[in-house]
Amino acid sequence: MANAFLFFLLLIFSSNIIFENIHACNQSEHSSLLFLSLTLSSPQLNWTSADCCNWEGITCNRDGWVTHLQLPSKGLKLKGGIFHTSSLANLTHLTHLNLSHNSLSGSLDQTEFFLSLNYLEILDLSYNLLLGVLPSSLSSIHIRIVDLSSNRLHGAVPSSFFQQAWNLTSFNVSNNTFSGPIPSSICRPSSSLRHLDFSFNNFNGSISSGLGKCSKLQVFRAGHNYLSGSLPEDMFNSTTLEEISLPLNSFYGSMSDGIANLANLTTLDLSYNQLSSVLPLHLGKLSKLKYILLDFNYLEGSLPLSLMNCTNLVELRMGSNNLGGDISMLNFSKLSQLSKLDLRKNNFFGILPRSIYSCKFLKAIRVSYNNLEVQIQPEILSLKSLSFLSLGWNKGLTNVKGAMKILMGCKRLLLLSLASGFLGEEMPNDVEMADFNGFQNLRLLDLSSCNLSGIIPSWLSKLKKLQVLDLNHNRITGSIPSWLGTLPRLQMLIMHFNQLSGEFPKELCTLPMLVSGRTAAHDQVGLNSYGLPTFFSPNANAKPLQYNYIFYNQFIYLGHNCLSGNIPIEIGQLQLLQRLDLSANNFSGNIPDQISNLKYIEILDLSMNYLSGEIPASFTSLNFLSSLNVSYNNLGGPIPSSTQLQSFNASAFEGNLKLCGAPLPNKCRTTTRADAPDMSTQDVDTKEHQIPWSYVSVALGFITGFCGVCGPLVLMTKWRYAYYHFLDNVQDKFHVMIAKRMASMKRRFV
Ligand SMILES: *[C@@H]1O[C@H](CO)[C@@H](O)[C@H](O)[C@H]1NC(C)=O
Ligand SMILES: *[C@@H]1O[C@H](CO)[C@@H](O)[C@H](O)[C@H]1NC(C)=O
Ligand SMILES: *[C@@H]1O[C@H](CO)[C@@H](O)[C@H](O)[C@H]1NC(C)=O
Ligand SMILES: *[C@@H]1O[C@H](CO)[C@@H](O)[C@H](O)[C@H]1NC(C)=O
Ligand SMILES: *[C@@H]1O[C@H](CO)[C@@H](O)[C@H](O)[C@H]1NC(C)=O
Ligand SMILES: *[C@@H]1O[C@H](CO)[C@@H](O)[C@H](O)[C@H]1NC(C)=O
Ligand SMILES: *[C@@H]1O[C@H](CO)[C@@H](O)[C@H](O)[C@H]1NC(C)=O
Ligand SMILES: *[C@@H]1O[C@H](CO)[C@@H](O)[C@H](O)[C@H]1NC(C)=O
Ligand SMILES: *[C@@H]1O[C@H](CO)[C@@H](O)[C@H](O)[C@H]1NC(C)=O
Ligand SMILES: *[C@@H]1O[C@H](CO)[C@@H](O)[C@H](O)[C@H]1NC(C)=O
Ligand SMILES: *[C@@H]1O[C@H](CO)[C@@H](O)[C@H](O)[C@H]1NC(C)=O
Ligand SMILES: *[C@@H]1O[C@H](CO)[C@@H](O)[C@H](O)[C@H]1NC(C)=O
């Protein structure tokens, strides 16, 4: 019995020995790996068994050399943030190294492993926190895939890096901070490169010729950089290309007809550049095209008829160009896959052809800002997926009641913008809309600049998912209904320039999204997945960001109406409010101290009312305030002193005879408060008054408002409301200087 047991044990041992003999991890490899694991702070790798060839993520060859080290997404972190590459460098037989999606930090500078791993075929260090610059060359002649994307690497990508990389098929350095030129010498005769990705970096200069030599290139991406010059013409010699993505650069000049060579092209993304030619006549020959993204350029001429032969088209984005022509010439009926059509802001004219309704998968239609004749026709109901419809700022849109009755059948609609249509009609009233039961999913309703009369109808209260209600520049009368305060998701109420009267309803101060943001951000719809891209410049010098969440802001704009009474103290409950405009109304009484509870307020405009009393001292605690206007009221006393309030122009306070202290030039004579400013110097810098706002309003194409009868001094100060117009007539080119200056107020959704 005991003997049998011993024999059994022996058997196990010897089989283990045999096993080890086969796989036997070379001792030096074993210690290199152990050293590597010691440099990791977390997590503990289960690298305990005797044979390192059995360890997780490790594969050896028959001779016991480690060939694969693959530990993606293991949460790996380095102790002290230092990449001890010597342990890697000693694994000289590595062919596959995949440490992607970890938190490896430290610098790649002077790391030997680029130089000593002579058998490396696959290198994937993407999605880590690696710093440093690339070495001048990669020593392995076997290298096939290099993925260093989504790290923090910088410096140039030297041409010599690829010197011996004859078999390189994929090179991805996207999403780092590399700079300098795109190394187009990466392409050599008989190059096997298929995928090149330089996007999301700081590459600059023009792309020199050379890409044409990549005779197998399928994907070329270099978007979101600072590239300029003309498009590299010889790129069109790479007839294997399936994707060209160069958005958000400064390429200028023409797009040549050579592109018609690229018969396999499915994606052409040159959006946000400065291309200014006509479209290549034979673009439509590229019958495999799925995505044509050419928006935000200066392209001219008409759409080539051949485009309507691209039966695989999924997205056609031509918005914000100088294109034109009679759109009724186009026959959309072959574009059976079309999902997004964007022709916004061009010079197209003619009737939107009915053939568009045969594109059954259309999700987004944006043709606003053209000279089209648009009508809402019942056929639109055949577009079952339609979620984004923007037709505003065209011609001929009439019959708002009929339009609403048809559109309420579009069950998926998320965004509806019909701005500047239905001129002078009446807002459909509750009797007319008695059977209204639509818009269950609508997030944004824009009926601005329609000059609609009537009152705010209560059928709108059924729009339970509404986040943005934009009715600015109409002639809407009556009071602000209290039910607006119950819309569970409303966060932008935009109704300036109307004729609303009555008080500011206290109920509005309970708007859930402004009180507590109960419906949290993650619940919001990223319109990009349903609609069309929106871009946003956080400040003048930053690259524009793609604005994923359009409903990011909390605004109440009620300026230029006929509202009266006090500003309710309950307003302090709207803690998340970022912008409040009550200007040019008839509000009276004091400015409630509770406004200081609006701790996120950025823009506060109470100008041109009959407010009296002092500016609450608590205003000094509004840390986010970047624009304040209390001018032309009956305010008095000292302006509370804080670095912020004194940093505004005097014009923010002018027109209040009894107000004193900096930044106003008149000093407070008899100070009633200890903290009142001491105005011993006579004159405040008068240059402050000479901001060239008239220039700003011209640049913005400002249109004078109508409801001048209520608020005092409307004409005198119209320039100050230039920014409102951003809501109607959003600037196109993010790089237009003025747009940048006002970028913080910029929204782009139609
Ligand atoms: C292990 O590697 C060393 C070099 O690091 C080499 O000299 C030795 O021959 C290898 N052993 C085996 C069994 O392959
Ligand atoms: C560690 O790996 C060995 C096999 O290599 C396995 O038997 C053991 O369960 C693992 N331990 C843990 C904690 O995963
Ligand atoms: C790597 O190899 C060198 C020399 O072959 C040796 O000095 C060094 O200790 C090794 N490093 C590790 C971590 O094993
Ligand atoms: C690295 O591993 C990840 C996760 O398994 C995988 O998705 C990726 O394709 C690998 N990289 C390469 C270059 O094979
Ligand atoms: C390059 O790839 C080819 C075909 O896959 C192969 O035969 C050749 O050995 C590779 N060359 C190198 C240096 O790895
Ligand atoms: C390059 O890597 C990024 C992730 O960092 C990925 O999104 C992109 O698709 C890759 N490019 C190519 C051409 O595969
Ligand atoms: C860029 O890298 C960061 C950090 O790894 C990552 O969060 C982000 O998703 C990446 N962006 C793209 C476009 O791949
Ligand atoms: C690229 O950027 C660098 C650093 O900002 C600058 O020195 C260089 O002149 C730029 N090159 C071109 C061609 O614009
Ligand atoms: C593109 O190819 C054509 C003929 O195939 C050749 O004449 C031309 O020189 C090439 N262009 C470039 C820029 O390489
Ligand atoms: C185009 O794609 C087809 C199918 O994927 C392929 O057979 C053909 O070789 C490609 N043509 C070129 C020029 O790459
Ligand atoms: C569209 O394709 C058809 C058939 O392939 C062809 O006859 C017609 O000329 C093409 N139209 C245009 C405008 O290219
Ligand atoms: C559009 O083309 C289809 C066939 O593709 C044809 O049946 C239809 O009559 C055309 N419509 C117009 C208005 O030309």
Side-chain angles (χ1 to χ4, degrees):
M1 180 66 182
N3 274 351
F5 183 68
L6 258 179
F7 178 74
F8 178 69
L9 270 185
L10 251 174
L11 201 73
I12 289 177
F13 268 65
S14 56
S15 72
N16 210 16
I17 288 162
I18 292 163
F19 183 76
E20 280 201 356
N21 275 344
I22 293 169
H23 282 269
C25 168
N26 186 311
Q27 201 50 46
S28 70
E29 305 278 271
H30 189 272
S31 60
S32 293
L33 287 174
L34 270 187
F35 183 77
L36 176 70
S37 77
L38 288 177
T39 66
L40 299 173
S41 66
S42 69
Q44 213 65 49
L45 288 168
N46 184 9
W47 281 2
T48 46
S49 62
D51 184 359
C52 74
C53 293
N54 289 332
W55 290 353
E56 180 185 12
I58 304 296
T59 310
C60 297
N61 65 11
R62 299 222 326 262
D63 302 328
W65 298 103
V66 174
T67 57
H68 292 51
L69 175 55
Q70 292 175 305
L71 294 168
S73 307
K74 288 283 183 271
L76 302 180
K77 282 201 179 85
L78 293 169
K79 271 186 199 150
I82 296 167
F83 204 21
H84 290 281
T85 48
S86 83
S87 50
L88 282 176
N90 280 11
L91 298 169
T92 51
H93 286 64
L94 266 188
T95 59
H96 292 65
L97 179 59
N98 189 343
L99 298 173
S100 68
H101 286 96
N102 283 296
S103 303
L104 301 176
S105 48
S107 168
L108 278 189
D109 290 359
Q110 282 118 38
T111 50
E112 308 94 289
F113 80 84
F114 278 120
L115 303 176
S116 59
L117 302 184
N118 288 324
Y119 297 98
L120 205 58
E121 293 171 27
I122 292 179
L123 174 64
D124 188 349
L125 298 175
S126 61
Y127 289 99
N128 278 290
L129 307 166
L130 299 170
L131 302 164
V133 300
L134 292 186
S136 60
S137 75
L138 196 60
S139 64
S140 172
I141 58 171
H142 307 284
I143 196 80
R144 289 189 281 129
I145 297 177
V146 175
D147 191 349
L148 299 172
S149 65
S150 296
N151 278 288
R152 297 165 182 184
L153 302 165
H154 70 275
V157 177
S159 303
S160 54
F161 190 74
F162 314 98
Q163 207 118 58
Q164 317 186 60
W166 301 106
N167 274 4
L168 192 63
T169 60
S170 173
F171 183 73
N172 192 346
V173 288
S174 74
N175 200 13
N176 282 285
T177 49
F178 286 112
S179 54
I182 296 277
S184 55
S185 59
I186 191 170
C187 290
R188 282 171 307 196
S190 74
S191 156
S192 43
L193 263 172
R194 291 191 164 80
H195 298 155
L196 269 181
D197 197 338
F198 297 98
S199 48
F200 295 98
N201 279 291
N202 300 330
F203 288 110
N204 68 351
S206 56
I207 300 185
S208 51
S209 66
L211 283 172
K213 295 198 191 104
C214 273
S215 57
K216 293 185 177 145
L217 195 60
Q218 291 170 345
V219 176
F220 178 51
R221 294 183 194 158
H224 299 257
N225 279 296
Y226 297 106
L227 299 167
S228 58
S230 47
L231 292 173
E233 185 69 15
D234 74 330
M235 172 168 77
F236 303 137
N237 275 14
S238 299
T239 52
T240 46
L241 270 170
E242 291 167 12
E243 173 179 340
I244 297 176
S245 291
L246 303 170
L248 272 145
N249 281 296
S250 301
F251 291 110
Y252 52 78
S254 66
M255 202 190 328
S256 88
D257 232 2
I259 200 167
N261 290 338
L262 307 181
N264 274 358
L265 201 65
T266 60
T267 300
L268 178 64
D269 185 356
L270 299 172
S271 54
Y272 285 94
N273 277 290
Q274 293 160 30
L275 300 172
S276 57
S277 62
V278 297
L279 291 167
L281 194 58
H282 299 297
L283 193 59
K285 273 193 184 166
L286 307 180
S287 61
K288 294 192 179 170
L289 273 173
K290 288 184 176 170
Y291 302 93
I292 304 183
L293 316 180
L294 297 174
D295 40 340
F296 294 93
N297 278 289
Y298 303 106
L299 297 167
E300 307 168 345
S302 52
L303 295 182
L305 292 178
S306 64
L307 263 188
M308 298 296 125
N309 264 354
C310 296
T311 53
N312 293 301
L313 263 190
V314 175
E315 279 187 40
L316 181 59
R317 280 179 15 203
M318 297 286 188
S320 300
N321 278 294
N322 299 325
L323 296 164
D326 184 354
I327 202 169
S328 62
M329 304 291 286
L330 301 175
N331 186 342
F332 286 84
S333 60
K334 287 192 199 159
L335 307 186
S336 59
Q337 308 297 312
L338 196 65
S339 166
K340 297 180 186 180
L341 174 67
D342 187 7
L343 303 177
R344 174 189 184 270
K345 197 115 193 178
N346 279 291
N347 306 313
F348 293 110
F349 58 89
I351 297 171
L352 195 64
R354 279 172 189 248
S355 58
I356 204 167
Y357 302 121
S358 58
C359 308
K360 299 288 181 229
F361 298 118
L362 265 174
K363 277 185 184 167
I365 302 176
R366 177 162 63 182
V367 297
S368 50
Y369 294 100
N370 279 290
N371 294 311
L372 297 172
E373 302 201 15
V374 284
Q375 283 298 346
I376 305 292
Q377 281 148 344
E379 288 101 315
I380 202 164
L381 295 176
S382 63
L383 306 179
K384 301 278 183 236
S385 310
L386 193 65
S387 62
F388 187 122
L389 182 63
S390 173
L391 305 177
W393 300 99
N394 276 298
K395 291 197 302 201
L397 199 54
T398 55
N399 188 3
V400 62
K401 186 178 65 172
M404 290 299 142
K405 291 204 165 192
I406 293 172
L407 289 172
M408 74 185 190
C410 292
K411 300 292 182 204
R412 299 253 175 112
L413 217 50
L414 292 175
L415 181 148
L416 177 60
S417 173
L418 301 171
S420 106
F422 318 113
L423 285 178
E425 294 184 26
E426 194 177 333
M427 179 67 98
N429 63 40
D430 288 323
V431 177
E432 290 163 331
M433 299 296 280
D435 56 346
F436 177 80
N437 69 338
F439 295 158
Q440 295 305 308
N441 288 305
L442 202 67
R443 311 287 174 129
L444 183 151
L445 178 61
D446 178 1
L447 287 171
S448 64
S449 299
C450 293
N451 211 13
L452 295 175
S453 58
I455 60 166
I456 300 174
S458 62
W459 58 269
L460 289 176
S461 67
K462 296 182 186 167
L463 277 51
K464 294 295 182 209
K465 295 208 174 144
L466 202 65
Q467 288 174 269
V468 181
L469 179 59
D470 189 347
L471 298 175
N472 81 76
H473 285 90
N474 281 293
R475 290 182 292 141
I476 296 173
T477 50
S479 54
I480 300 174
S482 56
W483 54 257
L484 270 174
T486 66
L487 287 180
R489 299 185 184 217
L490 193 67
Q491 60 190 80
M492 287 195 209
L493 181 60
I494 306 171
M495 305 213 285
H496 55 282
F497 285 100
N498 275 291
Q499 294 163 15
L500 296 165
S501 55
E503 302 203 341
F504 186 106
K506 290 186 176 56
E507 292 82 357
L508 216 51
C509 304
T510 60
L511 266 172
M513 280 302 287
L514 303 189
V515 170
S516 61
R518 214 180 293 156
T519 329
H522 63 260
D523 188 39
Q524 301 185 9
V525 178
L527 267 189
N528 282 328
S529 47
Y530 296 87
L532 294 157
T534 50
F535 284 84
F536 172 74
S537 293
N539 67 55
N541 298 318
K543 277 201 265 189
L545 302 172
Q546 195 143 357
Y547 200 5
N548 284 315
Y549 296 103
I550 195 169
F551 305 124
Y552 175 70
N553 295 300
Q554 278 94 357
F555 303 163
I556 292 181
Y557 278 9
L558 294 172
H560 291 263
N561 278 290
C562 312
L563 301 168
S564 56
N566 292 347
I567 300 175
I569 57 171
E570 289 83 356
I571 203 154
Q573 296 164 19
L574 300 174
Q575 288 194 53
L576 301 177
L577 199 62
Q578 293 165 325
R579 297 184 191 182
L580 176 63
D581 172 19
L582 301 176
S583 66
N585 280 289
N586 297 330
F587 287 112
S588 55
N590 292 343
I591 299 177
D593 200 27
Q594 287 79 358
I595 284 194
S596 313
N597 292 349
L598 311 182
K599 49 183 183 287
Y600 297 112
I601 199 91
E602 292 164 8
I603 295 179
L604 178 59
D605 193 343
L606 305 175
S607 64
M608 298 188 287
N609 280 291
Y610 298 105
L611 298 168
S612 53
E614 298 191 354
I615 298 175
S618 55
F619 265 41
T620 55
S621 67
L622 295 173
N623 294 323
F624 287 99
L625 202 59
S626 61
S627 170
L628 173 71
N629 195 347
V630 294
S631 64
Y632 298 98
N633 277 292
N634 298 326
L635 298 169
I639 296 170
S641 73
S642 74
T643 35
Q644 208 156 7
L645 292 183
Q646 269 68 47
S647 74
F648 296 121
N649 293 336
S651 59
F653 301 97
E654 71 190 12
N656 289 286
L657 289 178
K658 287 179 244 156
L659 207 57
C660 63
L664 287 174
N666 54 320
K667 62 180 183 177
C668 298
R669 279 181 222 288
T670 46
T671 57
T672 51
R673 260 207 300 262
D675 60 348
D678 173 32
M679 290 292 295
S680 43
T681 48
Q682 257 311 2
D683 248 356
V684 170
D685 186 4
T686 48
K687 277 191 205 125
E688 295 270 12
H689 300 270
Q690 291 157 11
I691 299 272
W693 281 104
S694 52
Y695 157 65
V696 171
S697 54
V698 169
L700 293 173
F702 178 79
I703 295 172
T704 318
F706 294 102
C707 188
V709 284
C710 300
L713 299 162
V714 169
L715 291 177
M716 258 188 75
T717 50
K718 67 179 182 188
W719 47 262
R720 247 174 251 149
Y721 301 91
Y723 69 84
Y724 291 138
H725 211 63
F726 256 92
L727 303 172
D728 311 331
N729 188 10
V730 184
Q731 285 292 297
D732 266 329
K733 298 293 174 183
F734 56 84
H735 39 261
V736 171
M737 185 273 285
I738 200 69
K740 284 182 168 176
R741 275 183 51 181
M742 310 207 46
S744 62
M745 300 161 187
K746 182 156 112 174
R747 293 190 299 133
R748 225 190 249 288
F749 49 69
V750 291

